[in-house]
């Protein structure tokens, strides 16, 4: 079951990226008929990024508010289907302003789909393979996007792309329909408890000392992402100005390097979050090094391809750092896409200013150097390498927690697991957790799926073997 969730999550991330990219590229090429190249550039790296961030934010807000209809697989299917009429509108419209508005709407929907993909990975994929899942999914999406856009401008801006959009959109819907819906109840369903004092006790026990600590975690990580995104955006602009004059490499090699960086970074993230963070920090220095090497005309094509390889490490870190937080419990699940949201908003908003800074060529690198000082300070305050303590013998309770973590169970599912291994019935589970019996059955089913067990007895046997390890 875990392998099924892994593959479906990869496809949920990759295929919609491919389906939406061809439409996005078509719209950008059509904009050249109405606007100058600088305006189109801003549309692609600034306004589009801000719109994607807005789409991510919209998904997060709706999910946090408990409006699960908007994250249901049928709702996501409907949003994907919208790209077909949007393609028609983009090709048939004869107004630059209207086309620009459609581009913004397209990117809001792209952000919304990304939010769904991030949250699905956080919810369904085991903690030990989140990195490789995201790396493979994003790499596959980028490779497919490159293949779909390897056509001439005349083709991509004509009605001939409609069949391609329809086919790719149809294929991207399949993994969405095969996936499971998110549960309708948050992990803390205290509204079902009739005893108000019990409600108060449960809320206090769950949130005392947790929200404050998590809040500071969010602040530190957010500051790191903002500073890293700023530095990368600024330095890459200066670097790209020189690369455009010297590089003749095919985009095939750059995309191949980007995919390789994403996949490798994903595996490193699964092995060590700290190592992944440090490599991501080092990777944003690369544009500065590449700038100096290009100045010396040192193998410009190799330098350019490596820039995409190192970009993969930054892309993985910014995207996964909050996915890991989302896996702590359902309470934080809606935060899964926050890393990408922060990065998109930062890059998009600052690109408006950076267009002018970059024209001085070295001005961007001076600003990057200034920003690097607070980044180092904040980074090492947040990602400290601590000497691990020697673990002692684990109790049955700790082993249950470890088993739940290894299987990617939510807080509510972990509570259900504890009751299941003690031979509790569905009605007993419902009474103990103060939930309805149908909800108890839902959680039992999820626990059995995630632990790869067909029956309760098989689950109990699995735990007994696990407790002897």
């Amino acid at each position: 079951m875990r392998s099924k969730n892994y593959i479906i999550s990869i496809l949920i991330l990759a295929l919609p990226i491919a389906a939406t990219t061809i439409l996005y590229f078509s719209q950008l090429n059509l904009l050249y008929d109405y606007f100058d190249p600088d305006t189109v550039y801003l549309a692609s790296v600034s306004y589009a990024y801000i719109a994607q961030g807005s789409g991510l934010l919209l998904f997060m807000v709706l999910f946090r508010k408990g409006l699960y209809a908007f994250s249901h697989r049928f709702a996501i299917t409907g949003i994907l289907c919208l790209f077909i009429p949007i393609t028609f509108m983009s090709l048939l419209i004869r107004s630059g302003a209207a086309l620009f508005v459609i581009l913004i709407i397209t990117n809001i929907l792209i952000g919304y789909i990304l939010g769904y993909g991030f949250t699905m990975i956080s919810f369904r994929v085991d903690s030990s393979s989140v990195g490789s899942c995201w790396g493979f999914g994003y790499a596959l999406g980028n490779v497919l996007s490159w293949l779909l856009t390897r056509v001439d401008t005349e083709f991509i801006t004509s009605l001939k792309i409609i069949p391609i959009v329809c086919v790719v959109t149809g294929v991207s819907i399949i993994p969405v329909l095969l996936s499971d819906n998110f549960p309708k109840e948050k992990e803390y369903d205290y509204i079902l408890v009739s005893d108000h004092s019990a409600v108060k006790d449960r809320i206090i026990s769950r949130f005392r000392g947790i929200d404050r600590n998590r809040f500071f975690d969010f602040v530190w990580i957010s500051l790191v992402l903002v500073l890293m995104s700023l530095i990368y955006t600024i330095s890459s602009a200066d670097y790209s100005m020189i690369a455009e004059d010297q590089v003749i490499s095919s985009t095939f090699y750059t995309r191949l390097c980007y995919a390789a960086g994403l996949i490798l970074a994903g595996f490193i993230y699964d092995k060590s979050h700290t190592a992944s963070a440090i490599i991501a920090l080092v990777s944003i220095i690369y544009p500065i090094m590449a700038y100096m090497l290009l100045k010396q005309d040192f193998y410009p094509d190799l330098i350019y391809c490596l820039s995409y390889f190192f970009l993969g490490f930054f892309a993985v870190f910014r995207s996964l750092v909050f996915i890991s937080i989302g896996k702590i419990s359902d309470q934080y699940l809606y935060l899964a896409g926050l890393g990408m949201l922060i990065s998109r908003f930062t890059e998009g908003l600052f690109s408006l200013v950076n267009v002018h800074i970059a024209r001085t060529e070295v001005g961007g690198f001076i600003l990057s150097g200034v920003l690097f000082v607070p980044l180092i300070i904040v980074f090492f305050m947040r990602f400290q390498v601590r000497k691990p303590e020697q673990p002692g013998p684990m109790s049955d309770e700790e082993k249950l927690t470890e088993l739940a973590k290894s299987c990617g169970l939510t807080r509510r599912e972990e509570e259900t697991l504890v009751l299941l291994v003690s031979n509790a019935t569905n009605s007993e589970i419902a009474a103990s957790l103060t939930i309805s019996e149908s909800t108890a059955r839902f959680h039992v089913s999820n626990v059995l799926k995630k632990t790869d067990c067909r029956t309760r007895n098989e689950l109990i046997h699995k735990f007994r073997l696990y407790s002897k390890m």
Side-chain angles (χ1 to χ4, degrees):
M1 183 57 63
R2 277 182 287 173
S3 60
K4 174 191 170 185
N5 289 332
Y6 183 86
I7 294 172
I8 287 178
S9 296
I10 288 176
L11 296 178
I12 284 176
L13 187 62
L15 295 179
I17 290 175
T20 56
T21 297
I22 189 168
L23 169 59
Y24 177 55
F25 270 78
S26 176
Q27 291 171 336
L28 288 179
N29 279 280
L30 287 167
L31 282 176
Y32 282 108
D33 294 336
Y34 304 98
F35 302 103
D36 59 86
D38 286 344
T39 303
V40 177
Y41 172 78
L42 279 177
S44 63
V45 301
S46 182
Y47 301 118
Y49 279 4
I50 294 172
Q52 286 184 25
S54 301
L56 278 159
L57 180 61
L58 177 63
F59 181 87
M60 289 168 56
V61 170
L62 293 176
F63 193 87
R64 180 67 181 89
K65 294 294 184 182
L67 302 174
Y68 299 103
F70 294 97
S71 59
H72 193 282
R73 62 178 181 268
F74 292 148
I76 302 302
T77 298
I79 291 174
L80 285 170
C81 290
L82 285 176
F83 288 111
I84 296 174
I86 287 176
T87 304
F88 274 105
M89 293 172 61
S90 301
L91 296 171
L92 298 177
I93 204 159
R94 293 293 180 265
S95 166
L99 182 60
F100 184 84
V101 171
I102 294 174
L103 175 75
I104 298 301
I105 294 173
T106 300
N107 279 277
I108 290 174
L109 296 179
I110 291 173
Y112 196 92
I113 296 295
L114 281 174
Y116 173 79
F118 276 83
T119 308
M120 182 59 70
I121 288 176
S122 180
F123 186 68
R124 293 297 181 193
V125 179
D126 185 78
S127 300
S128 62
S129 53
V130 166
S132 62
C133 179
W134 194 93
F136 273 121
Y138 212 67
L140 178 60
N142 276 272
V143 170
L144 290 175
S145 300
W146 177 82
L147 290 173
L148 290 171
T149 54
R150 292 304 91 200
V151 292
D152 56 62
T153 304
E154 183 180 349
F155 182 89
I156 206 171
T157 55
S158 69
L159 291 173
K160 296 176 183 178
I161 69 166
I162 295 295
I164 297 177
V165 173
C166 291
V167 171
V168 179
T169 300
V171 173
S172 68
I173 287 171
I174 295 174
V176 174
L177 293 176
L178 289 175
S179 65
D180 298 321
N181 287 318
F182 296 111
K184 291 185 179 181
E185 294 185 18
K186 303 298 283 184
E187 57 131 339
Y188 44 92
D189 26 29
Y190 49 79
I191 57 173
L192 299 176
V193 183
S194 57
D195 185 352
H196 295 290
S197 62
V199 173
K200 181 178 178 181
D201 290 340
R202 292 181 66 182
I203 294 174
I204 291 175
S205 65
R206 290 190 177 187
F207 294 105
R208 179 184 291 147
I210 295 178
D211 280 0
R212 180 178 299 176
N213 294 335
R214 291 300 171 198
F215 174 76
F216 286 114
D217 275 349
F218 300 158
V219 170
W220 287 122
I221 295 173
S222 298
L223 281 174
V224 168
L225 288 178
V226 168
L227 290 169
M228 290 179 75
S229 299
L230 281 174
I231 292 171
Y232 199 91
T233 302
I234 297 167
S235 57
S236 294
D238 283 351
Y239 161 67
S240 298
M241 290 173 63
I242 299 180
E244 287 176 1
D245 298 328
Q246 298 185 26
V247 174
I248 58 174
S249 287
S250 141
T251 52
F252 169 76
Y253 296 107
T254 58
R255 285 294 158 186
L256 195 62
C257 287
Y258 187 39
L262 288 166
I263 294 171
L264 179 59
F267 278 107
I268 292 175
Y269 185 88
D270 287 337
K271 296 296 182 182
S272 171
H273 292 187
T274 302
S276 174
I278 293 173
I279 295 173
L281 177 65
V282 174
S283 71
I284 68 169
I285 305 174
Y286 181 81
I288 301 174
M289 298 172 56
Y291 173 85
M292 293 185 288
L293 291 172
L294 285 175
K295 276 288 191 180
Q296 304 300 319
D297 198 25
F298 181 82
Y299 297 106
D301 292 281
L302 174 62
I303 298 301
Y304 189 65
C305 287
L306 285 175
S307 70
Y308 277 85
F309 176 77
F310 285 109
L311 174 60
F313 287 90
F314 174 51
V316 165
F317 171 73
R318 72 182 179 188
S319 302
L320 292 182
V321 66
F322 276 100
I323 282 184
S324 295
I325 291 176
K327 291 190 74 64
I328 294 172
S329 75
D330 290 348
Q331 179 185 355
Y332 303 113
L333 187 60
Y334 73 101
L335 294 171
L338 185 58
M340 179 67 85
L341 183 151
I342 292 172
S343 183
R344 282 291 187 246
F345 273 136
T346 302
E347 293 169 1
L349 291 171
F350 199 80
S351 291
L352 295 171
V353 180
N354 196 46
V355 166
H356 304 290
I357 296 175
R359 295 191 185 283
T360 63
E361 191 169 308
V362 295
F365 284 119
I366 294 173
L367 183 56
S368 296
V370 172
L371 291 173
F372 212 85
V373 176
L375 171 61
I376 293 294
I377 295 172
V378 174
F379 185 90
F380 284 103
M381 286 181 69
R382 173 60 185 87
F383 297 98
Q384 299 179 50
V385 181
R386 298 181 177 89
K387 184 178 180 181
E389 298 179 357
Q390 293 298 323
M394 294 175 63
S395 65
D396 282 349
E397 183 179 351
E398 290 172 329
K399 288 173 182 176
L400 274 170
T401 301
E402 186 66 25
L403 177 60
K405 182 179 178 182
S406 67
C407 295
L409 301 187
T410 65
R411 176 78 64 82
R412 178 60 75 187
E413 289 166 353
E414 183 180 343
E415 293 171 351
T416 305
L417 172 65
V418 173
L419 295 169
L420 278 173
V421 297
S422 63
N423 276 318
T425 64
N426 287 344
S427 58
E428 290 171 338
I429 292 172
S432 178
L433 301 182
T434 61
I435 57 177
S436 65
E437 193 166 340
S438 61
T439 303
R441 285 196 297 269
F442 174 81
H443 289 312
V444 169
S445 176
N446 276 345
V447 170
L448 292 175
K449 286 179 182 178
K450 291 185 178 182
T451 54
D452 288 331
C453 296
R454 290 171 295 181
T455 64
R456 294 166 182 252
N457 288 335
E458 186 178 343
L459 174 61
I460 294 171
H461 179 67
K462 182 172 185 174
F463 170 67
R464 287 173 179 170
L465 291 176
Y466 192 87
S467 64
K468 293 177 182 179
M469 295 172 61

